[in-house]
Amino acid sequence: MLHFSSSSAKLHYKMLVLGGGSGGIAMSARMKRMMGAENVAVVEPNEMHYYQPIWTLVGAGAKTVASSGRPTASVMPSGVKWVKAKVQEINPDTNTVCTDDGTEISYEYLIVALGLQLHFEKIKGLPEGFEHPKIGSNYSVETVGKTWKALQDFKEGNAVFSFPNTPVKCAGAPQKIMYLSDAYFRKTGKRSKANIIYNTSLPVLFGIKKYADSLWDIVKRRNLQINLRQNLIEVRADKQEAVFENLDKPGETTVFEYEMLHVTPPMGPSSVIKGGPLADEAGWLDVSKENLQHKRYPNVFGIGDCTNLPTAKTGAAVAAQSAVLHRTIRKVLKNEKPDKTYDGYTSCPLVTSYNTVILAEFDYNGQPLETFPINQAKERRIMYHMKADVMPHLYWHGLLRGLWGGPGPYRKMMHLGMK
């Protein structure tokens, strides 16, 4: 009987990618082309890969959950090694990664694309509150269907929507479902019986003034109630009550009765990164905002929601970052100085009804960075079509194959879409 020591059974790859989400798959496809499939491995435990931006529409009944997912095996670049395990520990000083099944993998270069973590449990009464009706969340595959059920079952009363006091992915999503719910109630003749309330921990409706001004116009026109600096701290699902704290007056709370509640959970950095040598003080992956190379470990790179890049955490940001990171790694492999700079480009298609979208695009400085020669702060049908139909197609066939990205992904997208 042969006995292998752990050292001889250890896996080694030139490029190890942690995470099989948008950033991880996009970069593994690019790295396969750069250095050959046999030199690349991806660590990802999940059997299914989801296109999460579409969950906004799933929660409103405009798309199905099934349409949002594909088997991970189908999006993994062919020939690239898929390590079906969870990352447990990253040791950048020894260039090794340990997984939850005891596997140790060594690497020459590392791309960290571990996303962020949802923390429903930080709200008292959750996640167990989801066992009750009338409450849902578009942020998880387990709870997005519950949003649609709550919307369909709505009779009369308060429809309450929350935004937590933490960084979140797709900061527009918590209010997109509010606009869609308003549109659904109008369509089904229930709007006069609905009191729509958006309680956000932020001091603004949206971070970029140009788009916020348009959103305030919509809010006033549709009679939606916005309460700023309100943070959800407890859900009493059995009583249909949501408790919010006033962030400007600590200790002051308000109880809202609800007929429907949409929860956006608090979010935070991956527990694998947080507190480890790769993290900044807040627990996010500490990378250069210009080239996505780690600030202390030059053979480590990051992309997407797990990083401390000071821009909104969106799929469009990943698309832009993937092109910059590709160029950075190519330069590092040649012992040259990275020269391509990420400007913080991100995008948020703000869905305002079942056929309109405001397409927000902006940079690190919160300045609009728009693709089209029109006022993108206006609600447009063509932008909804792009969000609902064109973008998913280009996600599966463009971004995940490492073919889409760079400055103004929408411009690139239009080019790809016309080929």
Side-chain angles (χ1 to χ4, degrees):
M1 192 173 167
L2 292 170
H3 290 276
F4 292 98
S5 71
S6 60
S7 59
S8 64
K10 193 164 73 171
L11 302 172
H12 177 81
Y13 293 93
K14 185 167 185 179
M15 177 62 75
L16 183 61
V17 181
L18 304 184
S22 310
I25 296 293
M27 288 313 300
S28 61
R30 286 172 176 269
M31 293 302 101
K32 172 188 169 177
R33 285 200 294 276
M34 189 185 288
M35 53 184 63
E38 69 282 359
N39 292 310
V40 182
V42 182
V43 183
E44 169 57 52
N46 295 308
E47 293 277 354
M48 287 294 286
H49 177 105
Y50 290 99
Y51 176 60
Q52 294 179 27
I54 214 73
W55 287 347
T56 284
L57 301 180
V58 173
K63 295 279 183 181
T64 63
V65 177
S67 74
S68 72
R70 294 191 181 178
T72 301
S74 72
V75 299
M76 193 66 64
S78 61
V80 165
K81 172 69 176 173
W82 175 17
V83 180
K84 235 181 272 190
K86 211 172 177 179
V87 179
Q88 191 142 34
E89 196 181 352
I90 307 169
N91 301 303
D93 292 310
T94 57
N95 295 329
T96 56
V97 166
C98 295
T99 64
D100 60 348
D101 62 2
T103 307
E104 187 172 283
I105 312 166
S106 61
Y107 60 82
E108 280 180 57
Y109 299 95
L110 183 71
I111 295 175
V112 184
L114 287 170
L116 50 64
Q117 282 181 233
L118 306 181
H119 291 293
F120 285 109
E121 78 286 351
K122 292 195 174 175
I123 298 167
K124 191 178 175 187
L126 294 184
E128 60 275 17
F130 286 111
E131 291 165 19
H132 291 261
K134 304 185 184 301
I135 170 175
S137 176
N138 291 353
Y139 274 89
S140 160
V141 72
E142 283 91 28
T143 55
V144 64
K146 294 176 190 293
T147 304
W148 174 225
K149 181 86 171 72
L151 194 51
Q152 287 174 293
D153 292 348
F154 187 94
K155 291 181 177 63
E156 61 178 315
N158 292 338
V160 180
F161 304 84
S162 75
F163 187 110
N165 191 26
T166 65
V168 301
K169 54 181 168 183
C170 193
Q175 60 183 293
K176 295 178 200 180
I177 187 59
M178 168 184 66
Y179 301 124
L180 284 162
S181 298
D182 168 69
Y184 180 78
F185 294 149
R186 289 175 192 275
K187 197 167 70 173
T188 53
K190 296 176 183 174
R191 183 61 183 94
S192 61
K193 295 177 179 176
N195 184 26
I196 298 178
I197 303 164
Y198 181 63
N199 286 346
T200 174
S201 64
L202 298 175
V204 292
L205 182 56
F206 191 71
I208 313 303
K209 188 179 183 303
K210 175 177 180 176
Y211 308 114
D213 289 348
S214 294
L215 294 170
W216 276 117
D217 288 343
I218 292 168
V219 160
K220 286 172 186 141
R221 204 166 61 239
R222 298 197 201 164
N223 192 26
L224 309 174
Q225 187 183 325
I226 310 296
N227 299 314
L228 303 175
R229 303 292 286 149
Q230 294 290 322
N231 183 40
L232 180 64
I233 56 169
E234 183 181 357
V235 174
R236 302 166 185 160
D238 54 334
K239 297 179 183 170
Q240 288 171 227
E241 291 177 348
V243 184
F244 288 82
E245 64 173 337
N246 183 338
L247 293 173
D248 290 333
K249 295 177 183 171
E252 181 182 298
T253 60
T254 309
V255 178
F256 289 80
E257 292 181 1
Y258 65 82
E259 170 70 0
M260 172 189 177
L261 174 65
H262 179 269
V263 178
T264 302
M267 301 177 206
S270 162
S271 57
V272 178
I273 299 168
K274 193 177 181 180
L278 294 177
D280 68 4
E281 285 179 8
W284 303 96
L285 190 77
D286 197 13
V287 295
S288 154
K289 64 185 269 224
E290 277 84 34
N291 60 39
L292 285 71
Q293 186 174 27
H294 196 272
K295 288 180 182 172
R296 296 183 300 282
Y297 296 92
N299 64 331
V300 176
F301 310 89
I303 188 170
D305 296 352
C306 69
T307 66
N308 63 354
L309 297 169
T311 193
K313 298 177 184 295
T314 69
V318 168
Q321 291 163 22
S322 67
V324 175
L325 184 50
H326 180 108
R327 174 79 178 223
T328 293
I329 292 170
R330 202 165 70 207
K331 287 284 186 181
V332 168
L333 289 174
K334 292 180 183 170
N335 288 320
E336 294 174 14
K337 195 172 165 53
D339 61 350
K340 197 164 170 68
T341 300
Y342 177 48
D343 55 13
Y345 173 88
T346 192
S347 166
C348 184
L350 292 150
V351 183
T352 54
S353 76
Y354 283 95
N355 56 15
T356 54
V357 158
I358 287 172
L359 181 59
E361 295 181 283
F362 48 95
D363 63 13
Y364 276 139
N365 301 317
Q367 295 304 306
L369 205 61
E370 298 181 343
T371 299
F372 302 97
I374 51 174
N375 178 10
Q376 289 183 199
K378 279 187 72 172
E379 293 178 276
R380 295 182 190 273
R381 283 175 178 262
I382 184 72
M383 297 303 183
Y384 179 88
H385 170 62
M386 202 174 281
K387 156 82 179 169
D389 306 314
V390 181
M391 294 299 291
H393 178 78
L394 286 166
Y395 177 83
W396 297 112
H397 302 288
L399 179 64
L400 294 188
R401 295 182 181 176
L403 302 172
W404 166 41
Y410 282 90
R411 193 170 294 128
K412 178 82 169 174
M413 181 196 82
M414 296 308 286
H415 170 67
L416 280 166
M418 289 184 280
K419 280 174 96 169

